[in-house]
Amino acid sequence: MKQYMVTRPLYSEDAFADVHEKIHRHHKTVRLTKNGVCVNCSCDLKRAKNAALSLLPFIGWMRIYQLKEWLLSDIVSGVSTGLVAVLQGLAYSLLASLPPWYGLFTAFFPVIVYFFLGTSRHISVGAFPVLSLMVGAVVTRLVPDEGPPVNITGFEGLTSDEQRVMVAASVTFLMGIMQLAMGLLQVGFIVMYLSDTLVSGFTTAAAVHILVSQLKFVLGLVVPGLSGPLSIVYTLEKIFVQIEKTNVCDLVTSILIMVVVFIVKEINDRYKAKLPVPIPIEVIMTVIACGVSYAFNFRVNYKVDVVGRIPVGYESPMGPNMQIFGQTAVEAFPMAIVGFAVAFSVAKVYSVKHDYIIDGNQELIAFGASNIIGAAFKSFAASTALSRSAVQESTGGKTQIAGLLSALIVMVVTLAIGFLLEPLPKSVLGAVVIVNLKGMLMQIREVPYLWRRDRPDCVVWLVTCLASILLGLDLGLAVGLGIELLTVVFRAQFPRCSVLANITGTDIYKERKDYMSIYEPQGVKIFRIPSPIFFANIDFFRGKLVGFNPLRVLRKRNKALRTIRKLLKKGELQMTSVSSGESEDESNMEDLDQPTDFKDLPVQVNWNSELPANIQVPRVDVHSLILDFSAVSFLDISALKELIRVEVEVYIVASYILKKLHSCMFFDDEVKSSMFFLTLHDAMLHILDKHPVNSENTKRCQTLSWPTSLHTQELVSFF
């Protein structure tokens, strides 16, 4: 076994600072030249180049693009992803309660913008089912299937579909503005407040909403779109009320599509190492369904609802409706957060796998610009879908060249061959959406694991999921975030602190319950505290640390001291030798919360022995307390003086906190910087030097004797 030996002085923080000189670092400040120009804000060629690379990340990877090695892979990936993007664009438009061809716009314009501004090389930008559903909730609220639309200027003279497109584009534009603003303000860290547990519960609930919303297409029923709390319950009610009207052709087609797609997807997953590219089963089944529907004229003969006419080309751009902004601001913000959180999570997975860096703030800018420009051309909210991104990466995609080529495939469909998709039954699109929900729905398997490992996280998952299902995705996300913040407060207010002990023969300190060979000097306690200490949890720590309330003990001792002084004044207390001194009148006694004062007494009282006249004072068995604050990032030690006043010596191990306390002039005559030590072992050696193990047998005592009528007892000086 390798060993090492170190011989050095015992260091407190003050002693270490005296011996080892510290470097004083100067932080950057704004400096102005004589002409009033900011020196730190000056621009040169290097800064301009870095700014360009930061704002346009594609320049960086285009400079290192390996044409011979990467181009063929990007072409194969782009074609495969483009075919999937066409199908998913059509399908997810149904979730957004829009005509199917608008999903093709979402698969084109945001992809082009992201190519120039995005930092991920592998994610596929476009429609995402959860976002599409959130857009659909806004659309059906402002332009319901039954009844008149909300009174909004600009709706006059427009058809119902055109009104819905205006709503979807406007809320997407507002969502893009929010993402762009957060990116420019460098607040990409906001996504960190959405934990993996919260996102998992939220997306599982979204999958349930998506499943229910597609049942009307699978069953061939006419069910109006609903939004708001309990909308999923009302939708299920409307479906089951008319279940006998189910279109058998739609149902059989959907079941057949789902079974085949599910089986082939399982084959893709099991043999992905052997397959050169995944089998594009959704595209294959869509082509077959289109051909069969056209051949047997499903629309006329079996009353099947089909995609219908797909206009050729792109529509003229339009500006957003400001009145819709006011109506949809509450929904747009969670859409902006969810869209970015999902995209950033997927991008982070691929960046780690392929060893490159992504920038959260630049991703916000990229998605913000993508949604703003896309909304101007009537696309709806864009993010990324894991399944589509998996296709782009698994088929060999190296850069966003693959994304650019996928957009070109979508453009070809939009401009030239879109008419081939007109006989496609909507039930096929619904079936494709449902079968792709497997990954999100199977997240429910996390619940037993979370319950065993981390119950607060399990509560966050369950509450977020149930709230999102019953109250809607926007309110459910807000409820989940609130519960998550409550768990953070709960963890901070009631953290798991541990009692440490020295491992015999070492300078290592571990939790005392975990080891047998430990050394604990009597009267010394060592605590490790793994969270910030502030006003909300100070009472919790006080009870955990010493098992008593220092302020209560201090008051009890001061009351006992008053009683002793009264007895001295009345002559009822006899002493072998009493020094002269005047006792204070009770009206002039110190405040009960102030330190115990022995100035006018010839002895110090041993508060742990029996006291006369039935005086009861809580015993304090600890004389030294070591606090390991190495994991504490914030400290409010307003109760520290209470411990010192009840004669408990406090020693702290935390260099980071010491600097802050010095800067705010915290130390005084009672709380001194000398209580801070470099390591736990330094503090322990200092205590052992100050309180030797056999010191109890060598203490000098003075005795106070009481008249026999009061049952003579002794007060022994503790020191």
Side-chain angles (χ1 to χ4, degrees), residues 509-616:
Y509 292 79
K510 294 288 187 179
E511 189 163 357
R512 60 185 296 190
K513 296 179 181 179
D514 297 336
Y515 296 89
M516 297 180 63
S517 180
I518 60 175
Y519 172 65
E520 288 184 289
Q522 186 177 1
V524 181
K525 290 290 183 69
I526 309 173
F527 288 90
R528 173 168 290 160
I529 300 172
S531 81
I533 302 174
F534 57 105
F535 61 91
N537 60 15
I538 191 66
D539 288 334
F540 171 80
F541 281 124
R542 183 189 288 119
K544 285 285 185 180
L545 293 178
V546 290
F548 62 87
N549 187 326
L551 185 58
R552 179 173 174 270
V553 173
L554 180 62
R555 289 174 176 172
K556 289 282 188 180
R557 289 186 178 183
N558 282 334
K559 287 181 179 179
L561 190 58
R562 289 184 177 185
T563 303
I564 293 172
R565 284 173 171 155
K566 285 182 180 179
L567 294 173
L568 285 171
K569 186 176 181 179
K570 295 177 180 178
E572 296 176 354
L573 178 59
Q574 304 296 326
M575 299 186 61
T576 55
S577 62
V578 182
S579 60
S580 60
E582 297 181 0
S583 62
E584 297 176 305
D585 186 79
E586 184 174 356
S587 61
N588 296 322
M589 289 293 176
E590 72 278 6
D591 186 84
L592 291 179
D593 293 346
Q594 296 304 312
T596 305
D597 187 5
F598 290 100
K599 289 188 302 182
D600 57 345
L601 291 178
V603 294
Q604 276 189 314
V605 180
N606 181 2
W607 297 109
N608 289 328
S609 66
E610 289 190 30
L611 301 178
N614 294 323
I615 298 174
Q616 298 294 327

Side-chain angles (χ1 to χ4, degrees), residues 357-372:
I357 298 173
I358 58 173
D359 183 348
N361 292 312
Q362 181 62 28
E363 286 293 292
L364 273 171
I365 293 174
F367 278 103
S370 297
N371 282 305
I372 289 172

Side-chain angles (χ1 to χ4, degrees), residues 190-434:
I190 196 171
V191 73
M192 301 305 173
Y193 288 99
L194 300 180
S195 67
D196 291 341
T197 305
L198 184 145
V199 172
S200 175
F202 177 77
T203 52
T204 303
V208 175
H209 277 281
I210 293 169
L211 175 63
V212 172
S213 70
Q214 296 306 291
L215 288 179
K216 64 180 181 182
F217 298 110
V218 170
L219 300 175
L221 301 176
V222 178
V223 178
L226 302 173
S227 61
L230 300 180
S231 60
I232 191 171
V233 177
Y234 300 138
T235 300
L236 287 172
E237 179 189 13
K238 291 181 179 295
I239 289 174
F240 285 111
V241 163
Q242 50 179 325
I243 194 71
E244 72 279 358
K245 298 179 182 178
T246 297
N247 188 311
V248 178
C249 182
D250 273 327
L251 181 60
V252 172
T253 302
S254 300
I255 293 175
L256 183 63
I257 293 290
M258 284 190 282
V259 170
V260 174
V261 171
F262 178 80
I263 292 174
V264 177
K265 275 183 168 291
E266 289 297 311
I267 294 174
N268 282 339
D269 288 340
R270 180 167 297 184
Y271 299 103
K272 60 183 176 181
K274 298 180 180 180
L275 293 172
V277 294
I279 301 172
I281 187 60
E282 293 103 329
V283 176
I284 294 172
M285 295 305 295
T286 300
V287 172
I288 294 174
C290 277
V292 173
S293 176
Y294 178 78
F296 292 93
N297 199 359
F298 278 9
R299 181 173 178 273
V300 175
N301 295 333
Y302 301 99
K303 308 301 180 184
V304 171
D305 191 14
V306 298
V307 170
R309 188 182 71 87
I310 297 180
V312 176
Y314 295 100
E315 299 182 11
S316 301
M318 70 173 188
N321 186 297
M322 296 300 162
Q323 194 173 351
I324 295 178
F325 279 6
Q327 296 275 355
T328 61
V330 175
E331 291 99 333
F333 184 72
M335 287 167 55
I337 297 298
V338 170
F340 170 64
V342 171
F344 185 74
S345 299
V346 176
K348 188 164 56 174
V349 170
Y350 290 123
S351 69
V352 171
K353 181 177 180 180
H354 294 278
D355 193 24
Y356 62 89
I357 298 173
I358 58 173
D359 183 348
N361 292 312
Q362 181 62 28
E363 286 293 292
L364 273 171
I365 293 174
F367 278 103
S370 297
N371 282 305
I372 289 172
I373 295 175
F377 289 91
K378 301 182 181 179
S379 72
F380 54 89
S383 179
T384 186
L386 182 58
S387 58
R388 194 170 60 248
S389 296
V391 170
Q392 180 165 319
E393 190 268 344
S394 63
T395 51
K398 304 296 183 183
T399 65
Q400 282 299 332
I401 292 289
L404 191 62
L405 292 174
S406 73
L408 294 179
I409 297 296
V410 174
M411 184 178 69
V412 170
V413 173
T414 305
L415 297 178
I417 61 175
F419 67 93
L420 296 176
L421 296 172
E422 291 179 2
L424 179 65
K426 289 185 178 180
S427 58
V428 173
L429 297 176
V432 170
V433 170
I434 290 175

Side-chain angles (χ1 to χ4, degrees), residues 449-493:
Y449 173 81
L450 289 172
W451 183 255
R452 293 192 302 269
R453 300 289 182 175
D454 194 332
R455 292 190 179 180
D457 269 357
C458 185
V459 171
V460 170
W461 197 101
L462 290 173
V463 172
T464 302
C465 185
L466 292 175
S468 299
I469 290 174
L470 297 176
L471 303 179
L473 295 181
D474 48 355
L475 291 177
L477 181 62
V479 170
L481 187 57
I483 294 296
E484 184 176 55
L485 293 178
L486 282 178
T487 62
V488 172
V489 172
F490 179 82
R491 292 176 194 268
Q493 191 163 355

Side-chain angles (χ1 to χ4, degrees), residues 642-660:
E642 298 173 14
L643 288 169
I644 296 172
R645 291 168 182 173
V646 295
E647 300 171 5
V648 175
E649 299 171 3
V650 180
Y651 302 96
I652 300 175
V653 179
S655 300
Y656 176 72
I657 296 173
L658 180 62
K659 182 179 178 181
K660 286 191 172 183

